[in-house]
Amino acid sequence: MEECGGSCYYEFEILKAHELSKVVYTPRFETSPNIFWQLCFKPISVNSPDYCTLILIAIRNQNEGNKFDQARRNAFPFKVYLKGIDNNIIKEKTRFIYENETFNRISIRKIIKRVSVPETLKIGIGFNKIQFSQLVSQSPFPKREIPKDLITLWIDELTNPSGADTRITVDGQYLYSKSSILKKRSDYFQTMLDGPWKENNSNKDGFKYNIEITDFSYSSVFQMLSFLYTDQIQLSNNDSIWDLYGIANKYLITELEEQVKGKIFRGINQTTCAENLFKHAWKWSILKDEFMKYVVQNFHTIRNTNEFKMIIKNKNDYPMFHQLNTEILLAYVPEEPEIKRETSEVNNNNNNNEIMQLV
């Protein structure tokens, strides 16, 4: 979030936006202390499939019930805009909020036609009339810098049963949390802890909730909980990043998922993309599609790498080996119209044989 002349602005860049098929959520941002928002870009509008929709989401804080904090209303009117890679504005719209109007998600429908979405798209919002005299702080920021000792203190709480009402068992070890934090930060946990599961969960060893996680490692669960408590995460390029994406995806932690996904996409290269596709990315369609496109587009080079040859040599180690190779083959040598089929039959057969020999 940037402040400029009494206004504050937030921008988020979407790579390969013209190929989007799923909704994109930005990280949360803040216009004043404890007043958080989030932007949502939908590539396909429900009632107008040829258009995209941009949505402003108001994230309620602990003091907001049916009525929003006045500081949130003071942020209106706002202006949303779309930019291309050259920073030229493609579209912009201003939205007011009226005195008696209630809101949670404000949709700006038909913001842009799908065919007009550029490869790199910046979605942005400007709050132009913030009344600083009514705010606790004179400067709006997306996230205040959190002292390192405070982050350490919060993280230490995860291994301290005192004051926790939730115990999480992973790999025979325990982690501890407050259910209020889990529910506020994850819709999955809110549904789990407030739903039918609650009635069947016994109050064991003094904890209101006992959760056992068997499909993720202790390290991944610890990182996830650390993010829920501190909004901070350290991302590496090793295999643990895939576990972190998986756990963020399962437990509906959108911000964490988007951060990890961005790190994964930025790390795609001709040396590692095939290994990551066959070992990890195939498990999630949004990741698989991106890796598959990259492999197909660069297959002439990738097929000659030692990494790809090792995949073929150890194909039994990859459960989706044959299916993924079939998809690569069909995408690399697409079916041609009937009228061209006879004239290109020899070339196609040569290409097919060349790929199948590698497999």
Side-chain angles (χ1 to χ4, degrees):
M1 202 83 181
E2 295 183 0
E3 182 188 356
C4 180
S7 303
C8 55
Y9 298 87
Y10 175 81
E11 283 189 358
F12 183 79
E13 185 175 81
I14 304 174
L15 301 178
K16 298 187 177 180
H18 62 306
E19 299 178 358
L20 279 179
S21 60
K22 295 188 178 182
V23 177
V24 172
Y25 290 89
T26 72
R28 300 179 184 185
F29 55 91
E30 188 179 23
T31 51
S32 59
N34 213 23
I35 301 297
F36 290 94
W37 311 82
Q38 191 173 34
L39 285 175
C40 168
F41 184 77
K42 299 181 70 172
I44 302 176
S45 297
V46 176
N47 297 321
S48 304
D50 292 334
Y51 287 84
C52 306
T53 294
L54 187 61
I55 302 171
L56 174 65
I57 303 171
I59 302 173
R60 297 176 185 266
N61 61 45
Q62 64 272 20
N63 298 319
E64 292 179 308
N66 296 327
K67 186 176 181 180
F68 281 106
D69 192 306
Q70 186 58 43
R72 191 181 297 278
R73 288 183 171 274
N74 289 341
F76 288 89
F78 68 86
K79 178 176 68 177
V80 294
Y81 57 87
L82 305 178
K83 290 181 178 179
I85 194 170
D86 54 1
N87 278 326
N88 288 331
I89 293 181
I90 301 171
K91 188 70 173 289
E92 63 180 9
K93 282 192 174 184
T94 299
R95 176 67 155 83
F96 294 84
I97 188 76
Y98 302 102
E99 184 63 31
N100 297 323
E101 185 176 359
T102 59
F103 66 94
N104 184 34
R105 298 164 64 94
I106 299 178
S107 298
I108 312 297
R109 297 183 175 87
K110 294 187 176 182
I111 186 73
I112 188 175
K113 281 191 173 183
R114 292 186 65 199
V115 294
S116 301
V117 175
E119 181 176 357
T120 298
L121 177 69
K122 291 182 180 180
I123 58 176
I125 185 167
F127 296 92
N128 295 317
K129 294 184 179 180
I130 292 183
Q131 301 175 27
F132 292 99
S133 61
Q134 298 187 32
L135 303 181
V136 177
S137 169
Q138 296 299 307
S139 300
F141 295 100
K143 292 177 183 176
R144 295 182 296 277
E145 187 71 22
I146 303 175
K148 291 184 178 179
D149 56 346
L150 185 56
I151 292 176
T152 301
L153 180 64
W154 285 339
I155 291 177
D156 287 345
E157 290 295 301
L158 300 177
T159 56
N160 181 11
S162 178
D165 66 350
T166 303
R167 183 174 67 180
I168 302 172
T169 305
V170 192
D171 295 338
Q173 302 178 73
Y174 295 130
L175 290 168
Y176 305 93
S177 178
K178 293 183 181 294
S179 60
S180 58
I181 292 177
L182 297 180
K183 289 190 286 187
K184 283 183 179 295
R185 297 281 276 157
S186 165
D187 291 340
Y188 185 101
F189 280 119
Q190 183 174 22
T191 301
M192 173 197 286
L193 300 179
D194 287 342
W197 181 89
K198 176 182 178 181
E199 304 300 325
N200 299 322
N201 187 47
S202 60
N203 194 318
K204 184 179 179 181
D205 297 334
F207 292 97
K208 184 176 181 181
Y209 302 103
N210 283 276
I211 302 173
E212 183 176 6
I213 296 178
T214 59
D215 48 349
F216 296 101
S217 67
Y218 178 91
S219 174
S220 297
V221 177
F222 186 90
Q223 284 183 288
M224 174 194 70
L225 293 174
S226 297
F227 181 82
L228 295 183
Y229 268 69
T230 68
D231 223 23
Q232 310 289 317
I233 195 69
Q234 295 294 326
L235 299 175
S236 63
N237 288 317
N238 56 30
D239 283 355
S240 65
I241 196 171
W242 296 95
D243 287 335
L244 195 56
Y245 180 85
I247 200 169
N249 177 268
K250 175 176 179 178
Y251 293 112
L252 306 180
I253 307 170
T254 305
E255 287 182 68
L256 179 58
E257 182 180 352
E258 289 297 319
Q259 288 189 38
V260 177
K261 182 174 69 175
K263 177 74 172 179
I264 290 173
F265 283 171
R266 289 191 294 272
I268 295 179
N269 59 64
Q270 294 180 356
T271 301
T272 63
C273 62
E275 169 74 7
N276 284 327
L277 171 63
F278 282 81
K279 188 175 181 181
H280 301 292
W282 64 268
K283 301 173 187 176
W284 304 279
S285 60
I286 192 170
L287 301 186
K288 175 191 170 185
D289 291 346
E290 195 70 20
F291 276 81
M292 183 67 72
K293 289 176 186 176
Y294 188 91
V295 169
V296 171
Q297 290 170 0
N298 299 277
F299 188 73
H300 184 73
T301 300
I302 292 171
R303 68 180 184 178
N304 292 313
T305 63
N306 291 330
E307 289 75 14
F308 189 75
K309 292 175 182 177
M310 288 300 296
I311 293 173
I312 297 172
K313 182 178 179 180
N314 302 297
K315 59 185 178 183
N316 291 334
D317 294 338
Y318 304 94
M320 298 294 289
F321 176 83
H322 293 291
Q323 180 173 329
L324 291 172
N325 266 301
T326 299
E327 292 183 40
I328 292 172
L329 172 63
L330 293 175
Y332 187 66
V333 188
E335 185 176 3
E336 295 184 351
E338 188 70 32
I339 193 172
K340 297 181 180 179
R341 194 167 295 167
E342 291 184 3
T343 60
S344 61
E345 184 176 354
V346 174
N347 291 333
N348 276 352
N349 286 337
N350 290 337
N351 285 334
N352 288 348
N353 291 334
E354 188 177 17
I355 296 174
M356 293 308 295
Q357 285 174 4
L358 288 172
V359 175

